């Protein structure tokens, strides 16, 4: 599919050239090609106006025509089904941006025919390069086909994230760029250039002008694109952490009992979890790792025997709800993240659980995320993985129909046996299912006998 996206972008650039317009690959795809990576998408920058772009291509979508952005739809490969899905390529007109009164987007833009003018209004030098698609398609290397008016290649070699032009102006224009600087630096393993870093520290308190949804998405990318622990440290160093996740800032310096947490305080423990995240983890797992101990600062207590965090799970859930609501997470994602927090301490009891309790535990939705979070948690603390191995073995070896079997006794069964629906129904069903999961009953008749013995015969 990546090759199909490249071919689609090359065809679009060729058609624009044929119509007498300039056209270049722009932004992150150029950076990735220079780094030897496969771009996720290919964006095209052109001297053609949005109206001219729409006139050239039969199928387009005006997603941001006011800002010069048109999606050009081209047929994709007929895989895996018989119908080809369209490939959407973003085509943007060269432009100059006016003032940014809201700190998010320009009040007005002026279209341009100059690629030099266009790149100078972009965010970072490593994202401000252009690539000549005709030369690239003709066999030139990405290096040879690149046009660099902002020093991006030099900063790639120096491994620096540097704002184009005046860093303070770039961040004043769009406050989200401060978070993007952190994300790129963390993901690529680069440093933030000193004047760019200083500008972020100066303007960090203005990040609240950015919508919660955009902040959430940027933080999620930091947590899932790689080096999440580095991103969190950079957020702290730039002053952004205290603004977007003040609850996480409070993890710093919160001591833990050394016999269980020789690694250090809650902040250090959390950073270790984030460092151990698998490549491209589910966003819910990454957020669960970040927030699993978010209730510890509020529940810290130095007891006579050791440091304790009584009720930190319940308090952590309440704090997490506030964070997830503030960042406007979907109900589905919020439910899973809260489930990860709620259940992360239950692994301590797995070896002592009844079979029915253990099977209910193992059949939680997306249990693999719960298991992975426990691995991250344990390996980032004492390093004792006995509970993880025990749970993993049962999860992998217990058949699904044994974890969640077809019930021998259900509501209809009880009604047909003469029981009237009421408050006791839930208890009866629970008792029958427990017995089934424990292997104590093997038929509906045995289940009804058990219900009659525990709750009496129907009236």
């Amino acid at each position: 599919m990546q090759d199909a996206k490249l071919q689609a972008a090359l065809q679009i650039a060729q058609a624009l050239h044929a119509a007498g317009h300039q056209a270049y690959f722009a932004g992150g795809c150029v950076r990735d090609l220079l780094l030897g990576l496969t771009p996720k998408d290919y964006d095209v920058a052109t001297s053609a106006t949005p109206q001219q772009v729409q006139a050239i291509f039969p199928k387009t979508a005006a997603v941001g025509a006011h800002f010069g952005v048109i999606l050009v739809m081209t047929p994709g490969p007929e895989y895996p089904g018989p119908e080809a899905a369209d490939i959407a390529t973003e085509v943007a007109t060269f432009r100059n941006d006016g003032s940014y009164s809201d700190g998010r987007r320009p009040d007005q833009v002026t279209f341009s025919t100059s690629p030099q003018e266009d790149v100078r209004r972009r965010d970072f030098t490593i994202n401000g390069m252009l690539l000549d698609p005709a030369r690239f398609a003709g066999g030139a290397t990405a290096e040879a086909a690149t046009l660099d008016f902002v020093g991006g290649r030099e900063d790639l070699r120096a491994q620096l994230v540097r704002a184009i032009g005046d860093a303070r102006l770039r961040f004043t224009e769009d406050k989200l760029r401060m978070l993007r600087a952190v994300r790129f630096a963390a993901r690529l393993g680069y440093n933030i250039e000193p004047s760019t870093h200083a500008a972020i520290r100066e303007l960090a308190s203005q990040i609240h002008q950015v919508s919660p949804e955009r902040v959430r998405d940027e933080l999620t990318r930091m947590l899932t694109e790689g080096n999440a622990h580095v991103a969190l440290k950079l957020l702290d160093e730039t002053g952004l952490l205290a603004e977007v996740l003040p609850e996480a800032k409070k993890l710093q310096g919160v001591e833990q009992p050394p016999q269980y947490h020789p690694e250090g305080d809650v902040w250090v423990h959390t950073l270790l979890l984030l460092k151990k995240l698998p490549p491209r983890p589910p966003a819910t797992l990454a957020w669960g790792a970040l927030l699993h101990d978010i209730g510890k600062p509020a529940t810290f207590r130095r007891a006579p025997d050791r440091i304790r965090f009584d009720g930190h799970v319940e308090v952590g859930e309440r704090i997490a709800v506030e964070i997830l609501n503030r960042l406007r997470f979907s109900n589905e994602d919020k439910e899973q993240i809260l489930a990860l927090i709620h259940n992360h301490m239950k692994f301590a009891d797995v070896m002592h659980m009844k079979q029915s309790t253990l099977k209910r535990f193992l059949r939680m939705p997306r249990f693999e995320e719960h298991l992975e979070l426990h691995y991250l948690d344990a390996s980032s603390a004492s390093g004792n993985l006995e509970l993880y191995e025990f749970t993993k073995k049962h999860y992998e070896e217990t058949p699904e129909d044994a974890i969640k079997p077809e019930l021998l006794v259900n509501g209809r069964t009880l009604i047909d046996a003469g029981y009237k629906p009421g408050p006791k129904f839930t208890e009866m069903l629970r008792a029958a299912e427990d017995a089934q999961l424990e292997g104590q009953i093997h038929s509906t008749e045995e289940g009804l006998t058990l219900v009659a013995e525990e709750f009496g015969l129907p009236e």
Side-chain angles (χ1 to χ4, degrees):
M1 187 60 180
Q2 292 295 341
D3 186 64
K5 287 184 177 182
L6 173 59
Q7 292 306 314
L10 288 170
Q11 291 169 14
I12 289 168
Q14 185 179 30
L16 287 165
H17 275 299
H21 304 290
Q22 300 175 67
Y24 300 98
F25 290 172
C29 65
V30 182
R31 178 198 67 232
D32 289 346
L33 287 170
L34 287 171
L35 291 173
L37 306 173
T38 301
K40 181 180 178 183
D41 293 293
Y42 295 84
D43 295 337
V44 175
T46 180
S47 58
T49 65
Q51 293 75 20
Q52 289 171 328
V53 172
Q54 289 177 302
I56 293 170
F57 301 100
K59 191 173 183 181
T60 62
V63 294
H66 175 71
F67 300 104
V69 181
I70 301 293
L71 283 184
V72 174
M73 317 300 288
T74 52
E78 296 183 1
Y79 178 84
E83 295 184 3
D86 284 339
I87 295 173
T89 303
E90 189 174 289
V91 178
T93 303
F94 299 153
R95 73 180 203 228
N96 287 311
D97 292 346
S99 60
Y100 287 68
S101 59
D102 63 359
R104 293 181 295 143
R105 58 178 69 89
D107 299 323
Q108 62 181 21
V109 302
T110 303
F111 297 140
S112 169
T113 58
S114 168
Q116 292 96 325
E117 289 183 1
D118 183 72
V119 297
R120 290 192 183 110
R121 54 96 189 167
R122 294 176 180 264
D123 54 7
F124 308 112
T125 60
I126 59 173
N127 296 336
M129 295 173 284
L130 303 173
L131 183 141
D132 186 334
R135 291 193 64 194
F136 188 59
T141 64
E143 179 77 23
T146 294
L147 285 76
D148 182 9
F149 304 112
V150 293
R153 277 184 290 200
E154 183 178 337
D155 284 339
L156 275 183
R157 286 191 287 269
Q159 299 188 335
L160 284 176
V161 174
R162 181 196 307 268
I164 293 174
D166 182 346
R168 194 179 188 285
L169 178 59
R170 292 288 83 79
F171 296 135
T172 300
E173 291 169 342
D174 184 354
K175 306 303 189 303
L176 187 72
R177 287 171 173 169
M178 294 188 285
L179 291 175
R180 283 169 57 82
V182 168
R183 174 164 64 89
F184 287 125
R187 189 182 81 194
L188 296 170
Y190 288 7
N191 292 315
I192 299 176
E193 181 270 329
S195 65
T196 303
H197 193 287
I200 298 174
R201 284 199 63 84
E202 179 187 350
L203 300 172
S205 64
Q206 297 183 27
I207 192 64
H208 303 289
Q209 292 181 25
V210 179
S211 71
E213 293 89 347
R214 292 179 82 203
V215 171
R216 175 201 65 215
D217 291 346
E218 204 62 39
L219 291 174
T220 298
R221 291 187 185 105
M222 290 182 203
L223 292 171
T224 58
E225 289 183 353
N227 292 330
H229 64 298
V230 177
L232 204 64
K233 288 192 282 189
L234 282 173
L235 285 173
D236 186 39
E237 292 171 10
T238 56
L240 287 166
L241 185 67
E243 301 295 336
V244 297
L245 283 174
E247 300 88 349
K249 176 75 174 173
K250 292 179 181 178
L251 300 176
Q252 295 174 356
V254 178
E255 295 178 67
Q256 300 191 98
Q259 60 268 48
Y260 299 107
H261 287 279
E263 74 282 4
D265 66 25
V266 184
W267 171 256
V268 170
H269 174 67
T270 302
L271 289 176
L272 284 172
L273 262 79
L274 296 179
K275 186 176 183 178
K276 292 174 183 286
L277 280 169
R280 292 283 176 179
T284 47
L285 171 61
W287 277 97
L290 174 62
L291 300 179
H292 78 290
D293 278 345
I294 204 70
K296 280 191 171 180
T299 56
F300 173 87
R301 179 171 69 89
R302 201 181 297 277
D305 56 339
R306 67 176 179 87
I307 293 169
R308 295 189 176 276
F309 301 98
D310 300 329
H312 85 272
V313 170
E314 294 75 17
V315 172
E317 286 181 84
R318 292 197 293 271
I319 295 172
V321 166
E322 294 174 4
I323 295 169
L324 300 175
N325 285 341
R326 183 174 75 230
L327 295 175
R328 298 180 186 171
F329 274 77
S330 69
N331 288 335
E332 181 182 355
D333 284 348
K334 184 165 61 176
E335 182 179 352
Q336 176 64 3
I337 295 167
L338 292 174
L340 288 168
I341 298 169
H342 179 78
N343 291 287
H344 82 276
M345 293 296 290
K346 291 184 179 179
F347 281 84
D349 301 322
V350 288
M351 288 186 173
H352 309 292
M353 288 178 178
K354 296 190 304 181
Q355 279 298 302
S356 55
T357 305
L358 179 59
K359 288 175 180 177
R360 281 196 171 90
F361 187 56
L362 297 177
R363 74 189 191 194
M364 284 192 299
R366 292 150 71 175
F367 184 76
E368 63 279 359
E369 290 186 28
H370 292 270
L371 189 60
E372 182 67 23
L373 178 58
H374 175 66
Y375 171 80
L376 298 171
D377 198 10
S379 63
S380 301
S382 67
N384 185 342
L385 298 178
E386 184 180 13
L387 299 174
Y388 169 76
E389 297 294 350
F390 174 88
T391 310
K392 183 173 182 285
K393 183 175 187 296
H394 279 265
Y395 180 63
E396 293 176 347
E397 295 182 3
T398 307
E400 186 175 353
D401 60 0
I403 291 177
K404 195 171 185 178
E406 184 176 349
L407 296 178
L408 297 172
V409 176
N410 56 33
R412 172 50 57 187
T413 309
L414 294 179
I415 291 171
D416 290 346
Y419 290 97
K420 294 181 181 179
K424 286 285 185 184
F425 246 48
T426 300
E427 293 180 41
M428 293 177 180
L429 292 171
R430 176 85 181 200
E433 185 181 6
D434 277 352
Q436 183 177 349
L437 292 172
E438 295 285 348
Q440 297 170 356
I441 62 171
H442 304 89
S443 67
T444 299
E445 292 72 21
E446 291 179 355
L448 288 173
T449 299
L450 180 140
V451 168
E453 289 174 352
E454 290 196 20
F455 299 93
L457 295 168
E459 298 177 3

